[in-house]
Amino acid sequence: MKLFQQMLVACASMSLLTPIVAQASDINIEEMNDYVRSSKSSKKFNSKTFTNEVSGEIANLNGRVDGLEVQQKGLEAGSFSDTTTLDGSAVFAATAIDGATKVNSSATENLQTMYTYTMNLNTSFTGDDNLYVRLRTGNGKVSGGSFYEKTAFYHTDTYSGGVDDLKVDKIWYTTPIGSSEKWTATIGPKIENYYMYAAPVSIYRPGFHKAFKLGSLSGAFGASTATGGGIKYVGDNGFAFSTNLVSKGAKSSSGLLTNEDEHKWDTMLAYTQDQYHVSLSLSQQHEDWSSFSYYATDAAVAVEEDSNATAYAARAYWRPEDSGSAMPEISVGYDIINLEGQTGNSVKEASSYFVGLGWPDMFQDSDYIGIGFGQPLKVDETANGAAADDAGLSPFLWEVSYSFKPNDSITVIPAVFGGTDIQSSTDQDIFGAAVTTKFKF
């Protein structure tokens, strides 16, 4: 019997015996002697009866303890196993954007707020593998809202799965291949390509724009959650390789890798050292895949039905040996995409670039100054050679942010951001300010 159960039995036994002892203490010894001396017949104290009564109470007590053991085992069965961990985060954000109505007529320039709540479950079955499940909810996905407009103002923590709907947002399983720790395989019904990449491709930390993740979510790295799988190799010498597929048709009647399947196949070759990284990626996109809309003009993302695309991405970063100096970290990205099956003056080729500068630990430990800017994906060539709809635009997006931690679990990120000629018109110029607070537990 466990120590906890033994303590229960001991305490319960004391609770039963206490009233009996109390009754015994009330017996008048002198009166008992009178009973003994008396010649009258009287009912004597029967020790056998007393023992039987106490034994019955103890039996009842044992039954109750057995019931507690059953309930305890039920509670243990309903709790996490020793190999499952839970962590999470909550994000609060507020922003106001001047010029928002020029980008989207249903938008507002008033102050708006949003939240995102996330729970991460990680379970290992062998000690080397991992089953990952992400539960998420939030209210940022509002049409015309200040957190859900690609490319102009899509917040880096906006939840796109619904409004106030708690769902399984991501789920996949990763395991080593064979006995080698260098090769791993990943498969899951809800995953994005970039979770299976060979290496992190950027060290810039976006303060507001999701478009600036991974050196820009542009022609090659724009992703969408669907069924996927891939393999990855990470060597001791800094070289890494990955290839992975995400398919939207796998869960439907379209099927996996059919002509009707909208899918994306990414392959990366990377080299990473402590202070720098370089990588080249190939992205093959089938059946009008258009997830690069996070960082593109409207003309560049106008992909026609049944069109296919091939995109290339170059990424690099460098950081000084010591943080806290005037010399910033530098992350850069360049994408180019070529489309087949387009007609008229629709996009045939488009390109983009991004530059991110970061200063970590400038005023205190764990703070960060970030400046990000770049040109969203813009049409370089059309299918018929005529001028593209964004020919007269000079699209540009930027942000400046400062991140600091009041304590180990809270991060506050004030930011200002803006852009010019962002999506489809020369008068689409915006300027916004935001404050994001992140709680981690």
Side-chain angles (χ1 to χ4, degrees):
M1 188 178 296
K2 297 179 181 179
L3 178 61
F4 171 72
Q5 297 166 346
Q6 293 173 343
M7 292 176 65
L8 279 177
V9 171
C11 293
S13 301
M14 288 298 296
S15 66
L16 288 174
L17 293 174
T18 298
I20 297 173
V21 173
Q23 291 177 7
S25 66
D26 291 337
I27 297 175
N28 190 309
I29 300 299
E30 195 61 38
E31 289 182 356
M32 288 183 65
N33 291 333
D34 291 341
Y35 265 74
V36 172
R37 290 190 297 267
S38 175
S39 60
K40 296 181 180 180
S41 64
S42 61
K43 189 174 182 180
K44 299 180 179 179
F45 175 78
N46 191 323
S47 62
K48 183 177 181 180
T49 301
F50 173 79
T51 301
N52 289 339
E53 290 177 353
V54 172
S55 297
E57 294 293 344
I58 294 297
N60 290 335
L61 177 61
N62 287 333
R64 294 170 186 170
V65 171
D66 290 340
L68 287 173
E69 289 180 356
V70 172
Q71 294 179 21
Q72 181 187 11
K73 290 178 180 178
L75 288 171
E76 290 176 350
S79 63
F80 293 136
S81 68
D82 293 338
T83 59
T84 298
T85 61
L86 169 66
D87 63 80
S89 65
V91 177
F92 300 162
T95 187
I97 305 170
D98 181 42
T101 55
K102 296 178 181 179
V103 177
N104 187 329
S105 59
S106 63
T108 179
E109 298 183 357
N110 297 329
L111 180 67
Q112 290 192 359
T113 62
M114 78 142 193
Y115 83 94
T116 300
Y117 182 80
T118 303
M119 290 182 287
N120 302 300
L121 291 164
N122 289 277
T123 302
S124 178
F125 304 96
T126 66
D128 297 318
D129 63 345
N130 187 66
L131 174 65
Y132 173 69
V133 181
R134 185 170 84 180
L135 306 177
R136 178 167 280 187
T137 186
N139 64 351
K141 186 182 178 180
V142 177
S143 180
S146 297
F147 303 95
Y148 192 68
E149 181 67 32
K150 303 174 184 179
T151 295
F153 37 87
Y154 195 107
H155 192 277
T156 185
D157 290 296
T158 295
Y159 172 53
S160 61
V163 176
D164 295 328
D165 295 328
L166 180 63
K167 297 179 180 179
V168 176
D169 178 51
K170 298 287 187 292
I171 177 171
W172 66 76
Y173 176 69
T174 300
T175 184
I177 300 176
S179 58
S180 174
E181 296 180 355
K182 298 178 181 179
W183 288 92
T184 56
T186 300
I187 188 170
K190 288 189 174 185
I191 194 170
E192 296 177 69
N193 294 90
Y194 54 69
Y195 290 107
M196 298 179 279
Y197 284 165
V201 297
S202 175
I203 53 176
Y204 178 74
R205 309 176 198 174
F208 181 88
H209 288 302
K210 184 172 182 176
F212 290 162
K213 290 180 64 175
L214 303 176
S216 79
L217 296 179
S218 186
F221 286 171
S224 184
T225 301
T227 304
I231 60 173
K232 177 171 68 174
Y233 168 82
V234 179
D236 296 331
N237 57 1
F239 283 101
F241 163 84
S242 64
T243 184
N244 54 75
L245 172 74
V246 168
S247 165
K248 294 184 179 181
K251 66 177 182 179
S252 68
S253 59
S254 297
L256 176 66
L257 294 178
T258 63
N259 289 332
E260 295 76 29
D261 179 21
E262 186 179 351
H263 64 262
K264 182 171 181 276
W265 193 321
D266 288 357
T267 301
M268 176 186 289
L269 180 62
Y271 182 72
T272 306
Q273 292 296 316
D274 291 340
Q275 287 184 248
Y276 65 91
H277 162 94
V278 290
S279 61
L280 294 174
S281 300
L282 167 68
S283 179
Q284 297 167 290
Q285 304 168 18
H286 186 75
E287 193 63 15
D288 51 87
W289 184 283
S290 60
S291 61
F292 45 83
S293 56
Y294 287 102
Y295 195 56
T297 65
D298 290 350
V301 79
V303 180
E304 298 178 9
E305 188 175 357
D306 299 329
S307 293
N308 300 323
T310 301
Y312 304 89
R315 295 290 185 272
Y317 68 73
W318 175 89
R319 57 184 158 203
E321 186 174 357
D322 297 318
S323 61
S325 66
M327 180 65 69
E329 302 174 338
I330 303 173
S331 298
V332 295
Y334 177 80
D335 289 55
I336 186 168
I337 187 169
N338 295 283
L339 295 97
E340 299 177 356
Q342 300 283 89
T343 62
N345 73 331
S346 296
V347 55
K348 180 181 179 181
E349 181 180 291
S351 62
S352 68
Y353 73 87
F354 166 77
V355 177
L357 306 176
W359 291 264
D361 306 325
M362 282 300 293
F363 304 114
Q364 59 184 13
D365 289 341
S366 302
D367 71 348
Y368 181 82
I369 300 172
I371 299 176
F373 59 89
Q375 174 198 279
L377 205 63
K378 182 181 183 296
V379 177
D380 296 325
E381 183 182 352
T382 61
N384 64 3
D389 291 342
D390 64 1
L393 303 182
S394 298
F396 188 76
L397 204 64
W398 63 271
E399 69 174 20
V400 178
S401 66
Y402 176 66
S403 168
F404 65 95
K405 304 182 76 168
N407 56 53
D408 291 340
S409 301
I410 300 176
T411 303
V412 181
I413 310 172
V416 292
F417 57 93
T420 57
D421 301 0
I422 298 175
Q423 292 173 197
S424 62
S425 173
T426 56
D427 68 347
Q428 289 181 335
D429 301 340
I430 64 167
F431 177 83
V435 176
T436 302
T437 304
K438 300 182 179 183
F439 306 86
K440 289 191 175 182
F441 53 88

